[in-house]
Amino acid sequence: MKRILSGIQPSGTLTLGNYIGAIKQFVELQKQHPDAEFYLFVADLHAITTEQEPKDLRQRIRQVAAMYIASGLSLEQTTIFIQSEIKEHAELGYLLQCHTYMGELERMTQFKDKSKKQTTGITASLFTYPALMAADILLYDADYVPVGEDQKQHLELTRDIASRFNNRYGDFFKVPEPLIPKVGARIMDLQNPAKKMSKSDASDKGYISLLDEETSIKKKIRSAVTDSLGIVAFDPENQPGVANLLTIYASLTDSTIEAITKKYQGKGYQEFKNDLADIVANTIMPIQKRFFEIMGSKELENLLDKGKEAAQMVAYRKVEKCKQKIGLGRKK
Ligand code: ATP
Ligand code: LTN
């Protein structure tokens, strides 16, 4: 049976970028692979690589878990859990750090970008982050890892670490394949289309949160930065704002970019944006409704307890065997 695994950090409220690049893909993959097992977790250990307010973090952890459920994942097929509740993530993370080179971590663009944004207080864990992410994946022998474009480099490193370990100690880790959507793997900021839409951004004008009110969602789409050309065409270089809106449109309606540009031929941006505003709101509002129901119910706690138990068993066995392979402890 194939195993598909992914995680999302509770570092802010989930955005439309997270939905299109990650969550929507999970739901589609479940339909395509009804016999696959899904492991989806809340990457709270990753979130604390940058400073978090404990009260907010605790709330966001539950929110990410509830958002997974609200997005329509099949609960029979999915193990949903919280990363920090399974100690083996941190343990294997350390073991893998011992098999990861400084040079590899220094090349990671996420580290370069995030450390550039801060002048002080850059934590050691922000640097070693990819080794923990490799542990998240290799613990569960995942076959596929659906993620957005920004995580591709971390996935490549995970594959390198797994292969290195296998070469040194004999076949042990499954070498995972990334799954990156063809359209929507990198949704850009609505106010600055040169930059990725990000939930931990200081200003909320450039992103649509999955918890935004309907009027605010529509307003953000209508006031998204475009250009003065006035042609609905897909030209990421010269019309990055419009290209981004076209990408959002295509992924939420499952139509092709060509079909959409044809539809708006000879029409201005206003009609295009108004239609897209409705499409985005009609996608998010039902998810939001279910989200609030889940947050107020017992269902979430029960699911997370069940998820913890199931993940724990797999993770414990894998780490014990990994330590033996390396020669740690007394067991042979
Ligand atoms: P942060 O801003 O805190 O770095 P993030 O918004 O980038 O967080 P993550 O938790 O790092 O979100 O990512 C969760 C998943 O969503 C990953 O698979 C990531 O690739 C995907 N993702 C994040 N932002 C986008 C985006 N703008 N477009 C497409 N996919 C995205
Ligand atoms: N680093 C990821 C979140 C993440 C993840 C994972 C994704 C942590 N561990 C394992 C896939 C598999 C991010 O999106 N920032």
Side-chain angles (χ1 to χ4, degrees), residues 5-9 11 18 26 41-43 46 83 89 110 114 129 132-137 145-148 150-151 154-155 158 196 199:
L5 171 142
S6 199
I8 297 184
Q9 298 185 69
S11 47
N18 297 128
F26 306 157
F41 63 93
V42 182
H46 278 95
Q83 183 188 28
H89 285 254
Q110 180 175 294
K114 290 203 172 177
Y129 180 120
L132 178 61
M133 179 159 163
D136 300 336
I137 300 168
V145 183
V147 281
D150 60 323
Q151 297 303 314
H154 291 157
L155 255 296
T158 301
K196 186 190 87 151
K199 63 172 130 66

Side-chain angles (χ1 to χ4, degrees), residues 233-299:
F234 190 74
D235 181 353
E237 191 115 314
N238 299 307
Q239 295 181 264
V242 177
N244 189 38
L245 296 179
L246 274 167
T247 305
I248 297 173
Y249 198 127
S251 33
L252 295 184
T253 54
D254 290 321
S255 40
T256 63
I257 288 183
E258 294 83 72
I260 304 163
T261 49
K262 215 174 204 174
K263 185 172 171 192
Y264 292 96
Q265 217 169 31
K267 296 176 182 165
Y269 293 153
Q270 200 185 354
E271 188 175 336
F272 169 62
K273 280 180 164 178
N274 281 340
D275 289 352
L276 181 59
D278 288 340
I279 292 166
V280 175
N282 290 340
T283 305
I284 294 180
M285 296 322 285
I287 297 177
Q288 222 178 77
K289 184 166 172 271
R290 176 126 174 80
F291 169 86
F292 287 116
E293 284 164 12
I294 295 161
M295 285 295 280
S297 78
K298 273 236 156 80
E299 190 187 358

Side-chain angles (χ1 to χ4, degrees), residues 130-163:
L132 178 61
M133 179 159 163
D136 300 336
I137 300 168
L138 301 180
L139 257 185
Y140 299 94
D141 288 313
D143 295 280
Y144 299 109
V145 183
V147 281
E149 174 72 32
D150 60 323
Q151 297 303 314
K152 195 172 160 198
Q153 200 185 26
H154 291 157
L155 255 296
E156 277 159 11
L157 179 58
T158 301
R159 288 169 58 86
D160 290 345
I161 297 171
S163 304

Side-chain angles (χ1 to χ4, degrees), residues 75-321:
L75 298 179
E76 287 93 73
Q77 237 177 309
T78 318
T79 298
I80 298 178
F81 63 98
I82 296 168
Q83 183 188 28
S84 67
E85 292 186 357
I86 313 291
K87 294 187 176 57
E88 285 76 6
H89 285 254
E91 193 171 6
L92 186 61
Y94 173 74
L95 299 176
L96 295 184
Q97 265 184 51
C98 299
H99 296 81
T100 307
Y101 301 126
M102 292 289 285
E104 290 176 314
L105 296 173
E106 275 160 1
R107 279 196 291 278
M108 295 294 117
T109 51
Q110 180 175 294
F111 173 72
K112 286 194 249 179
D113 291 348
K114 290 203 172 177
S115 55
K116 232 187 276 161
K117 276 197 217 154
Q118 279 171 269
T119 42
T120 54
I122 298 164
T123 60
S125 62
L126 191 64
F127 185 65
T128 57
Y129 180 120
L132 178 61
M133 179 159 163
D136 300 336
I137 300 168
L138 301 180
L139 257 185
Y140 299 94
D141 288 313
D143 295 280
Y144 299 109
V145 183
V147 281
E149 174 72 32
D150 60 323
Q151 297 303 314
K152 195 172 160 198
Q153 200 185 26
H154 291 157
L155 255 296
E156 277 159 11
L157 179 58
T158 301
R159 288 169 58 86
D160 290 345
I161 297 171
S163 304
R164 179 174 307 145
F165 193 99
N166 292 347
N167 285 336
R168 185 152 164 200
Y169 304 101
D171 218 17
F172 182 65
F173 287 125
K174 168 123 344 123
V175 181
E177 301 275 347
L179 293 178
I180 296 168
K182 285 197 191 72
V183 178
R186 191 172 173 81
I187 301 298
M188 309 309 275
D189 187 286
L190 298 173
Q191 290 301 315
N192 176 7
K195 178 173 152 290
K196 186 190 87 151
M197 184 183 282
S198 171
K199 63 172 130 66
S200 51
D201 213 1
S203 149
D204 72 349
K205 291 212 178 70
Y207 68 77
I208 291 182
S209 146
L210 296 182
L211 296 182
D212 275 346
E213 287 184 7
E214 187 165 357
T215 45
S216 158
I217 295 174
K218 292 186 172 173
K219 197 168 151 212
K220 285 182 187 175
I221 293 283
R222 289 198 194 107
S223 52
V225 164
T226 48
D227 50 65
S228 53
L229 294 173
I231 308 159
V232 181
F234 190 74
D235 181 353
E237 191 115 314
N238 299 307
Q239 295 181 264
V242 177
N244 189 38
L245 296 179
L246 274 167
T247 305
I248 297 173
Y249 198 127
S251 33
L252 295 184
T253 54
D254 290 321
S255 40
T256 63
I257 288 183
E258 294 83 72
I260 304 163
T261 49
K262 215 174 204 174
K263 185 172 171 192
Y264 292 96
Q265 217 169 31
K267 296 176 182 165
Y269 293 153
Q270 200 185 354
E271 188 175 336
F272 169 62
K273 280 180 164 178
N274 281 340
D275 289 352
L276 181 59
D278 288 340
I279 292 166
V280 175
N282 290 340
T283 305
I284 294 180
M285 296 322 285
I287 297 177
Q288 222 178 77
K289 184 166 172 271
R290 176 126 174 80
F291 169 86
F292 287 116
E293 284 164 12
I294 295 161
M295 285 295 280
S297 78
K298 273 236 156 80
E299 190 187 358
L300 184 59
E301 288 305 313
N302 294 340
L303 263 163
L304 290 174
D305 285 344
K306 238 174 73 190
K308 176 182 172 183
E309 212 175 298
Q312 179 73 76
M313 239 160 35
V314 182
Y316 175 77
R317 289 202 197 114
K318 193 74 187 174
V319 168
E320 284 306 303
K321 278 196 213 142

